[in-house]
Amino acid sequence: MSTRVLEIRKGVLNKNDELARALRERLHAAGLLTLNLVSSPGAGKTRFLELTLRTMRERGLRPVALVGDLATDNDATRLAQSGAPVRQITTHSRCHLEAEMVAGHLDGWNLSEYEYLFIENVGNLVCPASYDLGEDVRVALLSVTEGEDKPLKYPTLFNSADIAVITKIDLAEACEFDRAAAHRNLQSIRPGIRIFETSAKTGAGLAEWIDFLIRERAARRGAASRVEA
Amino acid sequence: MSTRVLEIRKGVLNKNDELARALRERLHAAGLLTLNLVSSPGAGKTRFLELTLRTMRERGLRPVALVGDLATDNDATRLAQSGAPVRQITTHSRCHLEAEMVAGHLDGWNLSEYEYLFIENVGNLVCPASYDLGEDVRVALLSVTEGEDKPLKYPTLFNSADIAVITKIDLAEACEFDRAAAHRNLQSIRPGIRIFETSAKTGAGLAEWIDFLIRERAARRGAASRVEA
């Protein structure tokens, strides 16, 4: 790649970082915990998010979601069935979301009415790693059908994640999924990463995941209050 | 995206297209049929390719392979077990292969000794679509675990493919895979696309796939002879 292209890319990234920082402050001021969900296509992000939104609402929580897609609005339609407010970001063949796209799709929402903002990124294990969306927590999803070696093969993305969610755990046996190897590979790329094992089909792991989100939001708001006090 | 970035990207693409054209001529002169395998991470490209290489060699055919990976050489090690010559292209976090990387990794091979060149691209359903690698046939792989909607959600990649290979067909029932919907979605994005259904676990579909490659190479060489004559 020419130096010129690299410099311009770096410029794009720095502009994104600045926008992401401002966005993060805006979201914190509204009391939101923001999550950026990244994974390969077909890892089950949408189905996992749909169940997360529905279960949260049943528990009286107030989530909202943005979903990035290259072309269709299938995902937004599916997510909206949860009853949570959902908006689609169509990237028109761009391979990742950027902070500007997120900020531009929040207009008209009274953010302080909500508690959790989920951003479903474009399915891609490479490019989204480089773009901060103003999130508090980056969640990398990995399905048992993809193979245990994905963290080693896509280290940049898994290294940038705060949480790993293993999906489709109901298929573990049929896929001869090696759980120990998957955990070992995740820990080698991102030491100390917290791992949830889930199934959107059986609901396994969902309660634990949502309990974690509640605690995480409370802890961050507590920390913010203490800083202000 | 700024006009300047777009112009530079277009420049990069045009340079790639020129290199790909020269590479294709070089590969044709050596008598190779070249395939570019694209899919999301975890669709089973490596395992499918490993079985393809091994089965071809058992049938007395002469395949060779290049494999693109961001970071590890796991895939090259696995593929080499087939007995076919294999080389690794480490992309150092680049999200796709380019024609220049392919050309640069052919040195030292006597190409006319081989009949089939397989190029396993980086696992990514977006970016590889834009880069011609000098291939004759672009093969998009889609596993039954990814969901039938992937062609609709990643139309640029599936639209640029000549062949679709559905992998992990042994898991179809466990995943409640809707075969008719998958075929319908593929045909709507790429009318007339040829579809193979395969399993690297059971070997289903492999013989048909290899028969196709043999016929395809023969047909292209026949056409080339007729043009030369």
Side-chain angles (χ1 to χ4, degrees):
Chain A
M1 199 186 299
S2 74
T3 311
R4 198 167 153 223
V5 170
L6 271 180
E7 274 171 10
I8 289 177
R9 288 223 177 136
K10 197 151 175 289
V12 172
L13 278 186
N14 286 347
K15 189 187 160 208
N16 183 76
D17 285 344
E18 279 171 32
L19 287 169
R21 202 174 305 136
L23 179 58
R24 188 176 286 107
E25 284 174 16
R26 178 178 166 200
L27 296 168
H28 281 176
L32 285 161
L33 180 75
T34 301
L35 299 105
N36 177 4
L37 274 56
V38 292
S39 80
S40 65
K45 274 191 305 303
T46 308
R47 196 158 169 200
F48 175 74
L49 181 51
E50 186 185 348
L51 187 60
T52 298
L53 295 175
R54 192 186 314 134
T55 311
M56 288 184 104
R57 284 176 55 89
E58 285 165 6
R59 289 175 63 171
L61 302 167
R62 298 192 303 273
V64 63
L66 292 176
V67 51
D69 235 325
L70 266 65
T72 69
D73 62 359
N74 295 0
D75 287 355
T77 308
R78 280 170 61 190
L79 290 175
Q81 290 169 4
S82 68
V86 175
R87 281 185 184 163
Q88 170 84 23
I89 305 177
T90 304
T91 67
H92 301 292
S93 298
R94 296 288 289 282
C95 55
H96 60 270
L97 290 180
E98 298 183 14
E100 189 173 17
M101 303 177 194
V102 172
H105 282 77
L106 297 172
D107 294 342
W109 270 346
N110 184 355
L111 293 178
S112 54
E113 284 178 17
Y114 307 110
E115 298 166 320
Y116 302 88
L117 169 61
F118 293 88
I119 307 168
E120 183 183 334
N121 218 312
V122 174
N124 185 328
L125 276 188
V126 188
C127 315
S130 309
Y131 292 86
D132 181 0
L133 303 184
E135 73 265 23
D136 297 303
V137 182
R138 187 172 294 185
V139 184
L141 289 86
L142 172 69
S143 84
V144 299
T145 69
E146 289 175 72
E148 305 81 6
D149 61 343
K150 288 300 156 295
L152 304 181
K153 294 183 64 182
Y154 300 86
T156 313
L157 188 127
F158 284 94
N159 180 257
S160 79
D162 304 294
I163 300 287
V165 171
I166 298 175
T167 58
K168 309 187 190 179
I169 200 79
D170 55 287
L171 292 173
E173 203 176 331
C175 299
E176 299 166 20
F177 178 68
D178 184 339
R179 182 176 177 275
H183 281 248
R184 195 168 55 240
N185 291 341
L186 283 165
Q187 294 295 347
S188 75
I189 293 298
R190 183 66 154 117
I193 193 169
R194 179 147 189 174
I195 304 170
F196 292 88
E197 297 187 355
T198 67
S199 163
K201 193 170 177 183
T202 67
L206 252 286
E208 190 189 351
W209 158 246
I210 291 170
D211 289 346
F212 163 78
L213 295 176
I214 294 170
R215 283 198 308 275
E216 191 68 17
R217 179 170 178 267
R220 283 166 188 267
R221 286 172 63 81
S225 310
R226 282 194 298 278
V227 170
E228 282 161 20
Chain B
M1 199 186 301
S2 75
T3 311
R4 199 168 154 221
V5 170
L6 270 180
E7 275 170 9
I8 290 176
R9 289 224 178 136
K10 199 152 174 289
V12 172
L13 278 186
N14 287 347
K15 189 189 159 208
N16 183 74
D17 285 345
E18 279 171 33
L19 287 169
R21 202 174 304 136
L23 179 58
R24 188 176 286 108
E25 284 173 17
R26 178 179 166 199
L27 296 168
H28 281 176
L32 286 162
L33 180 75
T34 301
L35 299 105
N36 176 3
L37 274 57
V38 293
S39 81
S40 67
K45 275 191 304 306
T46 308
R47 196 158 170 200
F48 175 73
L49 182 51
E50 187 185 350
L51 187 59
T52 298
L53 295 175
R54 193 185 312 134
T55 311
M56 289 184 104
R57 284 176 56 88
E58 286 166 4
R59 290 176 62 172
L61 303 167
R62 298 192 302 273
V64 63
L66 292 176
V67 50
D69 234 327
L70 267 63
T72 69
D73 62 359
N74 296 358
D75 287 355
T77 307
R78 281 169 62 190
L79 290 176
Q81 290 169 4
S82 68
V86 175
R87 282 186 184 162
Q88 170 84 24
I89 306 177
T90 304
T91 68
H92 302 291
S93 298
R94 299 286 289 283
C95 54
H96 60 271
L97 290 180
E98 298 184 14
E100 191 175 15
M101 303 176 194
V102 172
H105 282 76
L106 296 173
D107 293 342
W109 270 346
N110 183 355
L111 293 178
S112 54
E113 285 178 17
Y114 307 110
E115 298 167 319
Y116 301 88
L117 168 62
F118 293 89
I119 307 168
E120 183 183 333
N121 218 312
V122 175
N124 185 327
L125 277 187
V126 189
C127 315
S130 309
Y131 292 86
D132 182 358
L133 303 184
E135 73 265 23
D136 298 302
V137 182
R138 188 172 294 186
V139 184
L141 288 87
L142 171 70
S143 85
V144 299
T145 68
E146 289 174 71
E148 305 80 6
D149 61 342
K150 288 302 155 294
L152 304 180
K153 294 183 64 182
Y154 299 86
T156 313
L157 187 128
F158 283 94
N159 180 257
S160 78
D162 304 294
I163 300 288
V165 171
I166 298 176
T167 59
K168 308 187 190 178
I169 200 77
D170 55 287
L171 292 173
E173 203 176 329
C175 299
E176 298 166 21
F177 178 68
D178 185 339
R179 184 176 174 276
H183 282 247
R184 195 166 55 240
N185 292 340
L186 282 164
Q187 295 294 348
S188 75
I189 293 299
R190 182 68 154 112
I193 192 168
R194 178 147 189 175
I195 304 171
F196 293 88
E197 297 186 355
T198 67
S199 163
K201 194 169 176 182
T202 68
L206 252 285
E208 190 188 351
W209 157 245
I210 291 171
D211 289 345
F212 163 77
L213 296 176
I214 294 170
R215 283 197 309 274
E216 191 69 16
R217 178 168 179 268
R220 283 167 190 265
R221 286 172 62 80
S225 309
R226 282 193 298 277
V227 170
E228 281 160 20

